[in-house]
Amino acid sequence: MSTEPPILDLINVMAALRDPATGCPWDRAQDFASIAPYTIEEAYEVRAAIEAGDPAALRDELGDLLFQVVYHARLAQERGWFSFDDVARSITEKMIRRHPHVFGAAEPRTEAAQTSAWEAQKAAERLTRAESGVLAGVADALPALQRAQKLTARAARVKFDWPDAAAVLDKLDEETAELRAELPEMDQARVRDELGDMLFVLANLARKLGQDAETCLHGANRKFIRRFGAIEAALAARGKTPAQSSLDEMDALWNAAKREGL
């Protein structure tokens, strides 16, 4: 480590790792595509640390995520595209531009007004990049449920939306019936299509209820892990494993875990 600002130390570490002569063979072999999955993973690790309420873990995970940003910036710099400084400068300018009520002469805004102004500014910026249409700019790389929710939120801004959550539930009943009708034939392409429709409607339902679909499913995953773990523990106390147990027995243990609030 040096007396340089910590961010410069990190940038220098990245440069050393990528050095063609003396760097790390693994780091030298990476490119944008190979690093991207790690970037996504680190973002989710940040989320997990926040949910755990663990400040030390959050510090470490934010560092890991920052390292991913530095990594991508280094790859771009090697290609002559831009540097980390350019990345930092670009986001600083964007935040100033999108907050004229803080950095300019605009009137103070409520949270709702700022959200509306933010979206209007993003729409204007998309026009300068020749991205047109209500749904332009919703990244294809987003998790599918999150992207579905963002797409329908965009459409809702131009009043292409269900009137309330009850209407979305009616649509879910309709899509469920359509999937059920495909079960006798089990044409995989049609089943996949109908399942997609159901998931899309569920993402809409989450939005109408003021929930985030990804967060809801994340919570359901954790609940499943807790309850299945309780099943395994109860069976182990009986000297058994899930493979040695019946569905009825495991279902009873599941319901017991549910009653206990797991």
Side-chain angles (χ1 to χ4, degrees):
M1 301 295 288
S2 71
T3 58
E4 297 279 8
I7 187 62
L8 291 182
D9 281 332
L10 181 58
I11 291 170
N12 291 334
V13 164
M14 185 70 255
L17 290 173
R18 289 284 297 179
D19 188 279
T22 61
C24 171
W26 188 90
D27 286 286
R28 291 202 312 265
Q30 304 311 305
D31 58 20
F32 289 109
S34 65
I35 290 298
Y38 296 100
T39 308
I40 296 169
E41 180 180 338
E42 295 300 348
Y44 279 104
E45 293 291 346
V46 168
R47 176 180 182 173
I50 292 171
E51 291 177 347
D54 187 335
L58 179 58
R59 179 201 61 208
D60 289 347
E61 297 302 342
L62 284 171
D64 290 344
L65 185 58
L66 177 58
F67 183 73
Q68 293 297 309
V69 176
V70 171
Y71 211 135
H72 286 288
R74 178 66 192 185
L75 292 172
Q77 184 174 344
E78 291 171 359
R79 289 160 175 77
W81 296 351
F82 53 80
S83 68
F84 180 86
D85 284 350
D86 295 322
V87 173
R89 186 177 300 108
S90 176
I91 187 60
T92 299
E93 292 172 351
K94 181 187 294 184
M95 290 303 102
I96 292 172
R97 186 170 64 249
R98 291 186 179 177
H99 294 83
H101 56 300
V102 175
F103 302 105
E107 292 294 321
R109 294 172 177 171
T110 64
E111 181 180 354
Q114 172 58 13
T115 298
S116 177
W118 179 278
E119 293 301 333
Q121 179 67 30
K122 288 201 296 185
E125 291 171 3
R126 286 195 297 272
L127 285 176
T128 66
R129 298 193 299 266
E131 296 177 4
S132 60
V134 173
L135 305 182
V138 180
D140 186 59
L142 288 172
L145 277 178
Q146 184 179 355
R147 188 165 192 249
Q149 196 160 344
K150 284 182 175 291
L151 288 170
T152 59
R154 285 281 187 86
R157 293 190 197 125
V158 293
K159 301 181 177 62
F160 189 75
D161 195 12
W162 283 284
D164 51 36
V168 185
L169 282 169
D170 290 340
K171 183 63 176 178
L172 182 60
D173 289 340
E174 177 187 325
E175 296 296 350
T176 302
E178 291 180 5
L179 176 60
R180 192 181 299 277
E182 296 297 334
L183 297 183
E185 296 294 330
M186 280 302 292
D187 181 301
Q188 291 300 311
R190 294 184 63 83
V191 166
R192 181 170 59 251
D193 187 59
E194 296 300 343
L195 273 173
D197 288 346
M198 286 182 67
L199 289 168
F200 193 83
V201 172
L202 282 169
N204 262 287
L205 181 60
R207 177 180 59 81
K208 294 297 285 187
L209 294 172
Q211 299 292 325
D212 174 71
E214 286 284 335
T215 300
C216 292
L217 186 55
H218 184 62
N221 288 341
R222 289 186 298 170
K223 186 195 307 182
F224 182 83
I225 290 170
R226 288 197 307 271
R227 290 181 181 172
F228 196 80
I231 291 174
E232 290 180 309
L235 290 173
R238 301 173 186 179
K240 302 172 68 176
T241 67
Q244 296 167 330
S245 309
S246 68
L247 176 59
D248 287 342
E249 184 178 14
M250 288 189 287
D251 196 45
L253 291 171
W254 175 278
N255 289 330
K258 185 176 180 179
R259 287 192 297 271
E260 292 171 6
L262 293 179

